Amino acid sequence: MRPLMRLLMRPLMMLAGVLLALPVTAQTCAGNPDALGTARVLGVDAATSPRVGRKQFPTTLPLAAKEIVLTFDDGPWPGTTPRVLDALEHECVRATFFLLGRNALAAPALVQRELADGDTIGYHTFSHPLLSKMSLAAAGAEVDRGIAAVDRAAYGDTKESNEHPAKPHTPFFRFPGFAASPALLERMQARGLVVFGADLWASDWNPMTPQQELALILHRLDAAGRGIILFHDTKAETARMLPDFLRAIKTRGYHVVHVVQNRREGS
Ligand SMILES: [Zn+2]
């Protein structure tokens, strides 16, 4: 029954994908006329943007002043990801989640909620090793296993976890701990995967209160003026802080940009 359901759901999900690619402005946010909203959708691909994020690379996404991209790593996590999704949904903003394969398999309903909410799903390996410390073959296998697990949880794909190279639904990847190497980066580019770094972050791997995290990220954002922001939806302080952060960036005049796979005509 389940494979049949998936088959039947696929055209609906594709249609939903087309509709979800449209920005949800504050004016069209159900139940929240004062919502932050998603200002625009930006298509990204490895041909034009193989590596983005100035913390790691010389270039980043083509964002205008006061434009930000929200990204969350390491989920999904049952204790915290639902609160993050609630906050995003309430403000009608869309984000990108770089998922761990093992967490996606453990909580597929959360992955499917991210998709249903219109968020972008990217990949962050299966179990979060530092890939630069592994052999190229072992690193490649870990990446492929992560892609297979996430796509199984998200889309019901049945590709084998040892398929190499695994073809992901959305070619967005972030290295755990940003631990890349020139050889790994070359391989990612050859596979057509966009490697996301970040332009700024909340340092939410350090223990702090939600109030401290809010002050820190707003300070850094006002200094940078734009950029890809890295959070972890596995962190309780981030989940607690997020509603206030989204309110604060609306007050300060920032605009949320939703990144999606750039689909060229005919592809
Ligand atoms: Zn991570």
Side-chain angles (χ1 to χ4, degrees):
M1 192 60 195
R2 293 194 64 188
L4 178 64
M5 279 298 288
R6 286 190 187 126
L7 204 64
L8 294 171
M9 286 297 288
R10 193 152 288 208
L12 288 176
M13 286 180 75
M14 286 171 73
L15 176 65
V18 170
L19 295 174
L20 291 169
L22 302 170
V24 183
T25 63
Q27 290 74 30
T28 57
C29 188
N32 186 4
D34 188 39
L36 171 60
T38 301
R40 72 181 175 104
V41 175
L42 175 63
V44 179
D45 63 52
T48 53
S49 300
R51 295 153 203 170
V52 294
R54 290 194 189 279
K55 286 276 194 186
Q56 296 78 28
F57 305 116
T59 55
T60 190
L61 292 171
L63 299 174
K66 295 230 148 187
E67 285 190 333
I68 62 169
V69 171
L70 299 172
T71 69
F72 295 87
D73 285 9
D74 294 3
W77 198 247
T80 46
T81 301
R83 291 182 70 158
V84 167
L85 293 175
D86 288 347
L88 296 173
E89 198 177 1
H90 180 67
E91 296 284 351
C92 284
V93 293
R94 287 177 179 158
T96 297
F97 289 86
F98 290 94
L99 303 183
L100 291 181
R102 68 177 178 199
N103 290 353
L105 288 182
L110 284 176
V111 183
Q112 285 157 26
R113 179 174 168 195
E114 288 167 354
L115 273 186
D117 285 355
D119 297 311
T120 295
I121 303 282
Y123 307 86
H124 196 48
T125 74
F126 185 79
S127 59
H128 213 271
L130 297 180
L131 297 181
S132 61
K133 308 246 184 253
M134 305 166 73
S135 71
L136 273 179
E142 171 70 30
V143 171
D144 291 328
R145 193 177 172 206
I147 289 170
V150 167
D151 284 352
R152 182 179 294 256
Y155 312 99
D157 278 13
T158 53
K159 60 170 142 312
E160 293 297 323
S161 60
N162 59 359
E163 188 178 313
H164 182 79
K167 188 164 170 31
H169 274 249
T170 303
F172 295 174
F173 181 81
R174 185 179 264 153
F175 281 88
F178 298 113
S181 67
L184 282 168
L185 287 171
E186 250 174 54
R187 290 208 170 183
M188 292 299 174
Q189 191 167 3
R191 293 177 65 171
L193 290 168
V194 180
V195 174
F196 277 74
D199 294 311
L200 64 155
W201 47 54
S203 298
D204 59 357
W205 49 86
N206 294 324
M208 66 181 97
T209 66
Q211 292 74 21
Q212 286 170 327
E213 185 179 333
L214 180 64
L216 178 62
I217 191 59
L218 288 175
H219 174 74
R220 287 175 176 172
L221 179 56
D222 285 341
R226 74 185 80 185
I228 305 165
I229 305 178
L230 163 68
F231 294 110
H232 292 83
D233 56 307
T234 51
K235 297 293 182 185
E237 68 265 26
T238 294
R240 281 205 288 272
M241 176 222 62
L242 196 61
D244 288 341
F245 173 72
L246 296 176
R247 282 286 87 201
I249 60 175
K250 162 121 185 174
T251 303
R252 291 171 190 227
Y254 289 98
H255 304 287
V256 174
V257 174
H258 179 211
V259 292
V260 300
Q261 177 181 8
N262 193 21
R263 294 185 191 277
R264 292 157 189 282
E265 275 184 37
S267 71

